[in-house]
Amino acid sequence: MTAPARPTGAWDLSEDQLAIRNAVDAGMKKFPLEYWREADRTATFPHEFFAFAAAQGWLGLAMPTEFGGSGLGISEAVMMMEAIARGGGLSAASAVHMNVFGTNVVVKHGSPQMRQENLPDIVAGRMRVAFGVSEPDSGLDTTSLRTRAVRRGSDWLVSGRKVWISTAQVADKILLLTRTRDPEPGEPKDAGLTLFFTDLDRRHITVKEIEKLGRAAVDSNELFIDDLLVPDRDMVGAEGRGFRMLLDGLNPERLLVASEAVGIGRAALGLAVDYAKERHVFGRAIGQNQGVQFPLADSYARLESAWLMILRGAALYDQGRDCGAEANIAKLLGGEYGFEAADRAMQVLGGYSYAKEYHVERLWREVKLCRLAPVSPELILCYLAERKLGLPKSY
Ligand SMILES: Cc1cc2nc3c(=O)[nH]c(=O)nc-3n(C[C@H](O)[C@H](O)[C@H](O)COP(=O)(O)OP(=O)(O)OC[C@H]3O[C@@H](n4cnc5c(N)ncnc54)[C@H](O)[C@@H]3O)c2cc1C
């Protein structure tokens, strides 16, 4: 694929972008809802889907061409992730999410050797990477994390705990945020946080799966890190600057999660609409009642508005312009409206919504996560209150 000429309007889709969505839609048909229900029931990573995504070039869509990617932007990546999530929910999106964009920090700040040795494998699906930031006592307040990396000759010795680390059951590598020194007086709290891209060495990292509400096909785990020896060459960028580098990727990450939430909301809406046409109660289709139509039509409108904000944020990012507010608003709206659409779909299916056979309950369980992580609606509102309304910082 070559880089498409982007339309000047932030929300018009170019023919190339539409072609990407159509191609992903067609590909997702090979993995029907029954495939995902089974992956969820058996808590099995969707290896066939992952291999298919790699073969289609989806994993490398936003990766530079020199490493085997297509060199496209976030505008194309949100199109793809929306379509993947609309086809398979978060079970599908989370299986590929890290490969698609999670290693952007390595693309931007990794050494030439680190990039050359790893990025082609990530693009080709030969390597899976976990993202090791959250800790038991440090979620949204990232800078309070306690995992320590201590100098040992030319290497580092890492010990600590991480929590919720997704795909660690199947990952080969981990992006690991650690503290290498405490901030000096007057320095910001993130000074001294250092990022490594290193082997997920199971001799020194115990991985314990967390039983969770949804997305069972893509594992999340507690990590117990005990004297993990990390070579100096595995450091990403400069020592003590790890958090700053991760911040670079925050806005596109929010746009991608928002697009996944919108995709799931649309999938649930579609199932509810089909059901509302077919289910007859009191002698007529339930979809003939405005009480059933209105919440669905309202969700349709809300998802469209979230989608426009996603496209606008992505267009700004791809043009190298500031998209902080747009990315945060997109994440807020995508998460809220995506969940709301799935919740309303549950109501329309009535008692049958509770049956796994009808698929909506899985989408509902999965899309809840898009409200919780990687950033909560509350923290987004804190950001908007401070940055857009000029109110005092509240956290
Ligand atoms: C299934 C799953 C997969 C995940 N995968 C990964 C992964 O791969 N890698 C990784 O590093 N992390 C991962 N996470 C972790 C995720 O990023 C965190 O759960 C998220 O950042 C929230 O952190 P927390 O749960 O510790 O919430 P906390 O920071 O403990 O916050 C709890 C609640 O308090 C609210 N709150 C806190 N402060 C304020 C305030 N000042 N004003 C208003 N409200 C406030 C928050 O909004 C939130 O609702 C995953 C989480 C889940 C559930």
Side-chain angles (χ1 to χ4, degrees), residues 323-336:
C323 66
E326 288 78 4
N328 274 288
I329 295 171
K331 164 68 178 66
L332 176 73
L333 300 184
E336 299 304 299

Side-chain angles (χ1 to χ4, degrees), residues 247-287:
L247 286 183
D248 277 356
L250 231 53
N251 289 329
E253 167 76 5
R254 283 171 193 184
L255 292 164
L256 289 178
V257 173
S259 70
E260 293 164 22
V262 167
I264 299 174
R266 285 175 172 164
L269 194 59
L271 290 169
V273 167
D274 288 347
Y275 191 83
K277 287 176 186 164
E278 283 166 18
R279 178 73 173 172
H280 281 66
V281 181
F282 299 117
R284 60 186 188 160
I286 56 170

Side-chain angles (χ1 to χ4, degrees), residues 98 130-136 138-141 163-167 212 214-215 220 369 372-379 382 394-395:
M98 263 308 278
F131 189 67
V133 173
S134 302
E135 297 190 359
S138 145
L140 295 164
D141 183 11
V163 74
W164 286 118
I165 309 310
S166 298
T167 72
K212 58 192 191 316
R215 210 197 65 181
S220 294
L369 180 55
L372 301 172
V375 63
S376 66
E378 293 81 14
L379 265 281
C382 288
S394 65
Y395 60 98

Side-chain angles (χ1 to χ4, degrees), residues 224-238:
F224 302 86
I225 308 169
D226 189 18
D227 284 347
L228 175 74
L229 197 67
V230 177
D232 213 24
R233 65 168 185 277
D234 287 357
M235 188 183 289
V236 184

